[in-house]
Amino acid sequence: MRPRTIAEPYRIKMVEPMPVTTRPQREAAIREAGWNTFLLPSDAVGIDLLTDSGTSAMSDRQWSAMMLGDEAYAGSRSFANLERAIREIYGFEHVVPTHQGRAAEHLTSQIRIKPGQYVPMNMYFTTTRAHAERAGGIFYDCIVDEAHDSHSEFPWKGNIDIQKLQKLVDAHGAESIAYLSLAPCVNMAGGQPFSMANIKAVAAWAKGYNLPIIFDATRAVENAYFIQSREEGYASRSVASILKEMMGYGEGCTVSSKKDNLVNIGGFMATNNPDFARKTKELLVVFEGMPTYGGLAGRDLEAMAVGVREMVEDAYIASRIRQVAYLGQQLADAGVPTVKPFGGHAIFLDARAFLSHLPQDQFPAQSLAAALYVDSGVRAMERGIVSAGRDPKTHDHCRPKLELVRLTIPRRVYTNLHMDVVAESCIALFEQREKIQGLKMVYEPESLRFFQARFEPLVAAGVGA
Ligand code: PLI
């Protein structure tokens, strides 16, 4: 029997007109933006796949909850609603709201890292690593080797390699490690999940050394969906119960609510360690605000409380991941090189393979993202040598194996016809790929350079195909 189409489990109630631009307008805009898609004004962007962060469409229930926001400076009822939702869904007792994820990372890093301590991560995320390093920590990559190989189709590329952890302990002792900072659906690896079997084994190993796990649970629900659909023994379990089991292996988590949680702003730290919670609240009042709002309005807390419950509805999360795969499959069918398996939040173009005529120091992913914008007004993001920054010791570029362009799909925002437009543009560029030229960096900020760096084409004709 022919497989039946499964539609999105929601209807569109409100629409936002999308800018329509001409190619000459886009050529002028990318020049103005220093060939950095982060610096484009959104009025010049059509389909915006820069990020899935803070770009979700909220539901009618979230919008109506916002009207009930309790804006009290202290003791807000809205915080109590959020706290209840996070306790129920993530299973952590203490909840500390922050204005977004990196604020939770900042506080956690300041409290839990002593200068000179290692912070093992399964690959890295830019802000998580930056905060660990600002606190004097040393990043240590403990992800499996398959994660660095864009050709590997291993289904658990987010897995942690226990042997790499063991090597670190053998060399420096367990006390040299602050905590294990582990991310589900690893963003920089292509949105790749870890398996429950892996996290269980890591937790057992860590217990032997009394090392806590603090998850970056920003995309934990997407990881829970992959466990449900791929891992033996989980097919009949709800995503909600898988998420809770996964979180049970951690002492706590930091979360950017701008992703899984389906809101436009917000974040939190949650933990079962009362001492960690107390210290975080002490710092919170210095940097974010009272523990019952943490830099957010009461209405934001209400929207988060509803989003945290909606994100684990099985039909919703299945449709979200299916849409990402729908885009990926079209690219794969046309031979466009992408990271596989397809990730949870994005399709990652393999710019190294796509633009094999450009050396990494000519920023192939940055060039490809610029060319995609010029071709169709689709905004994507570089995730390669620019994002990786410089080695804090040698100050040379870090040269990651993965040189990617991220086509990030906002939640509940675009239809599959939008995905078709994106696929057509990527395929058209791939067919004329040799015309895409490299870039040189002409302005480089010291920290998180990818946000604001500026570039110029190496040849006057520009980067476009
Ligand atoms: O953007 P924030 O500060 O709410 O969250 C920071 C953050 C932490 N962890 C992970 C895995 C992220 O992906 C993340 C933010 N990601 C962005 C902005 C992105 O575009 O992927």
Side-chain angles (χ1 to χ4, degrees):
M1 211 164 59
R2 224 176 127 203
R4 303 291 285 257
T5 302
I6 306 169
E8 292 81 357
Y10 48 84
R11 284 186 278 263
I12 297 167
K13 195 176 243 179
M14 191 197 281
V15 295
E16 175 188 346
M18 205 168 73
V20 177
T21 53
T22 61
R23 188 177 173 107
Q25 285 171 333
R26 296 193 293 273
E27 283 170 348
I30 200 74
R31 193 175 315 115
E32 190 73 16
W35 281 267
N36 184 345
T37 53
F38 276 101
L39 300 177
L40 287 166
S42 65
D43 282 349
V45 174
I47 299 172
D48 199 350
L49 306 187
L50 185 71
T51 179
D52 62 330
S53 180
T55 52
S56 298
M58 291 209 297
S59 68
D60 52 358
R61 282 176 251 166
Q62 286 177 290
W63 281 108
S64 47
M66 285 184 83
M67 296 304 290
L68 303 174
D70 174 3
E71 306 301 344
Y73 189 82
S76 165
R77 179 181 63 242
S78 301
F79 172 69
N81 288 340
L82 175 66
E83 185 181 49
R84 205 173 314 115
I86 292 174
R87 281 180 179 162
E88 273 176 44
I89 304 293
Y90 287 87
F92 292 116
E93 178 61 20
H94 307 281
V95 177
V96 184
T98 59
H99 80 276
Q100 59 183 83
R102 68 198 72 185
E105 292 169 355
H106 166 218
L107 304 175
T108 298
S109 301
Q110 291 297 324
I111 292 165
R112 300 297 295 262
I113 301 171
K114 292 194 207 102
Q117 275 190 316
Y118 288 94
V119 188
M121 301 182 191
N122 48 346
M123 209 168 259
Y124 73 99
F125 184 69
T126 52
T127 59
T128 325
R129 179 175 174 172
H131 279 298
E133 288 175 349
R134 285 178 88 89
I138 305 164
F139 162 72
Y140 179 85
D141 188 5
C142 63
I143 203 163
V144 290
D145 287 342
E146 288 90 337
H148 293 282
D149 177 3
S150 64
H151 302 295
S152 162
E153 299 208 12
F154 183 53
W156 305 111
K157 282 170 143 183
N159 271 4
I160 293 95
D161 184 336
I162 297 178
Q163 283 179 3
K164 290 184 185 170
L165 291 173
Q166 189 64 55
K167 226 163 127 183
L168 185 65
V169 167
D170 291 346
H172 301 283
E175 57 300 335
S176 75
I177 298 175
Y179 54 88
L180 308 184
S181 172
L182 303 182
C185 265
V186 181
N187 193 351
M188 303 298 271
Q192 301 293 327
F194 54 57
S195 68
M196 194 71 91
N198 178 251
I199 206 65
K200 204 171 178 172
V202 172
W205 175 88
K207 202 167 171 206
Y209 291 103
N210 216 8
L211 282 171
I213 293 174
I214 300 178
F215 287 114
D216 172 357
T218 293
R219 295 186 182 84
V221 180
E222 290 170 2
N223 199 126
Y225 173 79
F226 282 122
I227 290 173
Q228 186 192 55
S229 55
R230 288 184 191 161
E231 192 162 353
E232 213 184 313
Y234 287 91
S236 61
R237 292 267 302 273
S238 67
V239 163
S241 81
I242 296 170
L243 174 69
K244 210 153 177 191
E245 179 183 338
M246 183 200 297
M247 290 296 107
Y249 294 112
E251 182 196 290
C253 66
T254 58
V255 171
S256 166
S257 296
K258 300 169 77 173
K259 286 82 167 175
D260 272 353
N261 294 175
L262 294 165
V263 289
N264 305 120
I265 194 71
F268 63 89
M269 189 286 277
T271 181
N272 284 327
N273 176 341
D275 189 49
F276 178 26
R278 181 184 52 76
K279 287 184 178 145
T280 307
K281 287 180 196 171
E282 282 174 18
L283 261 196
L284 190 81
V285 293
V286 180
F287 288 101
E288 296 283 293
M290 286 288 282
T292 53
Y293 73 85
L296 294 165
R299 63 183 84 98
D300 299 326
L301 303 170
E302 291 285 356
M304 274 168 74
V306 177
V308 161
R309 295 183 192 282
E310 288 183 353
M311 71 182 185
V312 288
E313 288 170 8
D314 289 283
Y316 151 69
I317 187 66
S319 113
R320 187 253 180 317
I321 307 276
R322 270 200 304 264
Q323 185 175 51
V324 175
Y326 173 82
L327 171 61
Q329 197 54 50
Q330 291 194 59
L331 297 176
D333 290 347
V336 176
T338 64
V339 173
K340 287 192 203 132
F342 305 131
H345 66 305
I347 295 299
F348 288 72
L349 301 176
D350 181 355
R352 210 187 255 280
F354 198 118
L355 301 180
S356 54
H357 57 291
L358 298 186
Q360 195 171 22
D361 283 23
Q362 291 185 14
F363 311 111
Q366 190 79 26
S367 302
L368 183 54
L372 178 65
Y373 169 72
V374 171
D375 183 69
S376 58
V378 171
R379 173 156 68 170
M381 180 196 288
E382 191 266 7
R383 291 276 89 151
I385 185 169
V386 184
S387 296
R390 289 188 184 268
D391 184 299
K393 274 202 196 116
T394 65
H395 295 285
D396 190 13
H397 293 299
C398 296
R399 291 186 179 76
K401 282 199 189 139
L402 297 181
E403 178 70 25
L404 308 175
V405 171
R406 190 180 74 171
L407 303 165
T408 337
I409 316 301
R411 295 166 184 79
R412 305 191 292 206
V413 172
Y414 293 109
T415 67
N416 282 1
L417 266 188
H418 291 113
M419 298 301 112
D420 294 349
V421 169
V422 176
E424 282 168 16
S425 180
C426 293
I427 293 165
L429 287 175
F430 187 60
E431 284 165 356
Q432 314 167 63
R433 55 193 176 275
E434 69 292 341
K435 290 195 195 149
I436 300 175
Q437 301 296 330
L439 293 166
K440 61 175 185 254
M441 203 184 314
V442 293
Y443 166 64
E444 180 177 359
E446 226 169 79
S447 167
L448 300 178
R449 63 184 184 176
F450 57 94
F451 282 129
Q452 299 184 83
R454 299 184 72 84
F455 300 82
E456 277 175 11
L458 281 168
V459 293
V463 295

PDB file of all heavy atoms in Angstrom, residues 14 109 144 313 330 445:
ATOM      1  N   MET A  14      -2.570  32.917  11.666  1.00  0.00           N
ATOM      2  CA  MET A  14      -2.096  34.282  11.418  1.00  0.00           C
ATOM      3  C   MET A  14      -0.910  34.176  10.465  1.00  0.00           C
ATOM      4  O   MET A  14      -0.163  33.203  10.536  1.00  0.00           O
ATOM      5  CB  MET A  14      -1.618  34.886  12.736  1.00  0.00           C
ATOM      6  CG  MET A  14      -1.350  36.360  12.675  1.00  0.00           C
ATOM      7  SD  MET A  14      -0.365  36.864  14.050  1.00  0.00           S
ATOM      8  CE  MET A  14      -1.571  36.936  15.336  1.00  0.00           C
ATOM      9  N   SER A 109      28.994  28.170  34.498  1.00  0.00           N
ATOM     10  CA  SER A 109      30.455  28.113  34.320  1.00  0.00           C
ATOM     11  C   SER A 109      31.162  28.819  35.470  1.00  0.00           C
ATOM     12  O   SER A 109      32.161  28.320  36.008  1.00  0.00           O
ATOM     13  CB  SER A 109      30.858  28.784  33.002  1.00  0.00           C
ATOM     14  OG  SER A 109      30.235  28.147  31.925  1.00  0.00           O
ATOM     15  N   VAL A 144      32.341  11.048  19.763  1.00  0.00           N
ATOM     16  CA  VAL A 144      32.874   9.927  18.963  1.00  0.00           C
ATOM     17  C   VAL A 144      33.458  10.468  17.653  1.00  0.00           C
ATOM     18  O   VAL A 144      32.994  11.495  17.129  1.00  0.00           O
ATOM     19  CB  VAL A 144      31.778   8.881  18.653  1.00  0.00           C
ATOM     20  CG1 VAL A 144      31.369   8.122  19.902  1.00  0.00           C
ATOM     21  CG2 VAL A 144      30.561   9.528  17.985  1.00  0.00           C
ATOM     22  N   GLU A 313       4.564  16.886  22.752  1.00  0.00           N
ATOM     23  CA  GLU A 313       3.438  16.212  22.094  1.00  0.00           C
ATOM     24  C   GLU A 313       4.012  15.420  20.923  1.00  0.00           C
ATOM     25  O   GLU A 313       4.680  15.968  20.043  1.00  0.00           O
ATOM     26  CB  GLU A 313       2.403  17.250  21.632  1.00  0.00           C
ATOM     27  CG  GLU A 313       1.641  17.850  22.811  1.00  0.00           C
ATOM     28  CD  GLU A 313       0.774  19.049  22.435  1.00  0.00           C
ATOM     29  OE1 GLU A 313       0.632  19.335  21.224  1.00  0.00           O
ATOM     30  OE2 GLU A 313       0.265  19.701  23.375  1.00  0.00           O
ATOM     31  N   GLN A 330      15.433  15.802  -0.475  1.00  0.00           N
ATOM     32  CA  GLN A 330      15.477  16.404  -1.816  1.00  0.00           C
ATOM     33  C   GLN A 330      16.907  16.720  -2.223  1.00  0.00           C
ATOM     34  O   GLN A 330      17.296  16.529  -3.375  1.00  0.00           O
ATOM     35  CB  GLN A 330      14.669  17.712  -1.838  1.00  0.00           C
ATOM     36  CG  GLN A 330      13.189  17.467  -1.687  1.00  0.00           C
ATOM     37  CD  GLN A 330      12.426  18.728  -2.069  1.00  0.00           C
ATOM     38  OE1 GLN A 330      12.528  19.211  -3.176  1.00  0.00           O
ATOM     39  NE2 GLN A 330      11.666  19.242  -1.130  1.00  0.00           N
ATOM     40  N   PRO A 445      36.282  40.203  14.990  1.00  0.00           N
ATOM     41  CA  PRO A 445      36.113  40.471  16.424  1.00  0.00           C
ATOM     42  C   PRO A 445      36.843  39.415  17.257  1.00  0.00           C
ATOM     43  O   PRO A 445      37.043  38.294  16.789  1.00  0.00           O
ATOM     44  CB  PRO A 445      34.599  40.346  16.640  1.00  0.00           C
ATOM     45  CG  PRO A 445      34.001  40.218  15.300  1.00  0.00           C
ATOM     46  CD  PRO A 445      35.051  39.774  14.350  1.00  0.00           C
TER      47      PRO A 445
END
